[in-house]
Each structure stands twice: as structure tokens, then as C-alpha cells.
Amino acid sequence: MKRFGEPVPGWQAPPRPSGDEGLEERHVRLERLSADRHAADLHQAFSVDEAVWDYLPYGPFASTAAYHHWVRTVEESADPLFHVIRDRTTGHCGGVASFLRIAPEAGSIEIGHICLSPGLQRTPAATEALFLMMAWSFAAGYRRVEWKCDALNLASRRAAQRLGFSYEGTFRQATVVKGRNRDTAWFSVIDREWPALREAFELWLAPRNFDASGQQIERLSDLTALARGGAADPALG
């Protein structure tokens, strides 16, 4: 057994995200969350199905005013740093995601607080938004991007594996959310895995990967499975 870990020559802590990263691609633009600019549009999108709040420690919100008030309490936060996902075609906002547990000294950053409206779920736009956040993290110099979720949230576990995250284990009785126990499943992508995963994302997001009706030709999960560096999630069979 090695006595010490491998050297990391020339290591320098990366910058913290600011919310002004200019994350934009063909389908979406990510903007720092603002109550005045985004809350009404987001609440309308989320109100289609209250299940979007099931595994988050807040929500649902009974009114636009209630959601606007909550956004006011987090919009200045640096960690978590909330971003809204705006559809570039329609101009409407359909989701939220954040950088959190930001640890430049360790080169580690998490993507979480993900809340996607029914209209955004399972679309290229949703995938592109998360790809942009991962791509920014590694380009900035982070060595590790994390994903965590309630161990019972199989949809989030499937999403993590589809995006190329490797399963690392489950922390039992990690916290209490809305009065219920939460075991937390941990996933990560590390920097040496990113070049192959980035290529998988770019191949999947390319217009040629979709037919005339918008259906995918190759599945992202098939592409990332070839590039994923660690364990598959045993909960997904």
C-alpha cells in the first residue's frame, strides 16, 4: 500500500463561481437567480406538478408571492450559488440548479438543488444546462464535481449515472429533511474522466444525434457508460 497520495504538481486553487460565468449554448442560458427577474416565471413552470419539490428541503410554494419571498432569501447566497435555466427559444425559465459545497482549496464543487419543471425534464436543454455547469467547473480548474441525492430518489440517481457520475456510496442517516430521514447517495466525476465524458456530451447534444421528430438516435447513457471512470450505481440494476 502506498504511504502517500500521488503528487499534484503546480496545484493552485481554482476561482469560486460568481454567477456571471456566461454559461450559454444552443438550448439554454444560465443566469444568477433573481426574485424580481425569475420568480414568477419559475413558479408558473413548477406549479404544473408539486412533485418537483419532493426531495428538496423547501417547497412547495402555494403562491408566486411565497416563492418570490423564498428566492429573496437565497439570491445573494454565494454557496449555494443558484442559477436559473432559461430556454433560449422561448425565453422562459424552466429550472434551477446551483453550485454548492464549493471548496477551491480541495478542488471540489457540487452541482445540486436541481429543480426542473415538467416542461424541462428529459429534454436536451436540461442535459445541456448540467453539461455547462460541469464544463465550467473543470475548465476553471476543479478536480472533482460531486452529485448527491436522497437515496430514495431514483430519478436523481439515474440522472447522475446518465451524466457520467460514478457511485461512491451511501451515507446512512445523513440528515433529516421535512421531518423524514434521508440517506444520501454520493456520486462524482473527476478531472481525468472529464475529456472522454465531454466528448460523449458533445456527441449526444449534436443536432445530427436527433431525428426529424426530435428523438435521440444514440442515448447519452450508452455514451457516458464507456467513459465513466468508477462504479455503476447498484440501485439501478
Side-chain angles (χ1 to χ4, degrees), residues 1 15 27 32 50 57 69 79-80 99-100 107 111 115 120 127 138 161 177 184 190 222:
M1 179 181 292
H27 297 290
R32 185 160 183 170
E50 287 191 351
H69 174 75
D79 187 352
F99 290 119
L100 70 156
I111 297 173
C115 187
L120 185 60
T127 298
F138 288 114
Q161 183 156 296
V177 177
T184 298
I190 57 176
D222 292 337

Side-chain angles (χ1 to χ4, degrees), residues 107-109 138 142-146 168 186-190:
S108 177
I109 192 169
F138 288 114
Y142 286 87
R143 306 171 62 232
R144 169 183 171 86
V145 176
E146 298 178 339
E168 294 186 324
W186 284 53
F187 303 83
S188 73
V189 172
I190 57 176

Side-chain angles (χ1 to χ4, degrees), residues 15-23 30-34 37-38 58 70-71 73-85 95-104 109-115 129-130 133-134 136-137 140 142:
R16 300 180 69 88
S18 66
D20 299 315
E21 287 75 31
L23 303 181
L30 274 65
E31 306 168 5
R32 185 160 183 170
L33 181 62
S34 161
R37 289 190 290 122
H38 304 129
Y58 40 79
W70 179 82
V71 174
T73 69
V74 301
E75 64 182 359
E76 297 298 327
S77 169
D79 187 352
L81 178 63
F82 286 88
H83 288 71
V84 65
I85 303 168
V96 169
S98 78
F99 290 119
L100 70 156
R101 289 173 54 92
I102 304 164
I109 192 169
E110 181 179 344
I111 297 173
H113 288 280
I114 298 167
C115 187
L130 298 169
M133 296 180 77
M134 295 170 72
W136 180 87
S137 301
Y142 286 87

Side-chain angles (χ1 to χ4, degrees), residues 170-205:
T170 296
F171 283 32
R172 300 176 301 161
Q173 295 191 12
T175 188
V176 176
V177 177
K178 295 176 178 175
R180 295 180 182 273
N181 175 66
R182 171 173 149 159
D183 296 347
T184 298
W186 284 53
F187 303 83
S188 73
V189 172
I190 57 176
D191 52 0
R192 67 171 175 262
E193 299 161 356
W194 178 244
L197 286 171
R198 181 182 185 113
E199 184 176 351
F201 276 103
E202 290 172 343
L203 287 169
W204 188 81
L205 287 165

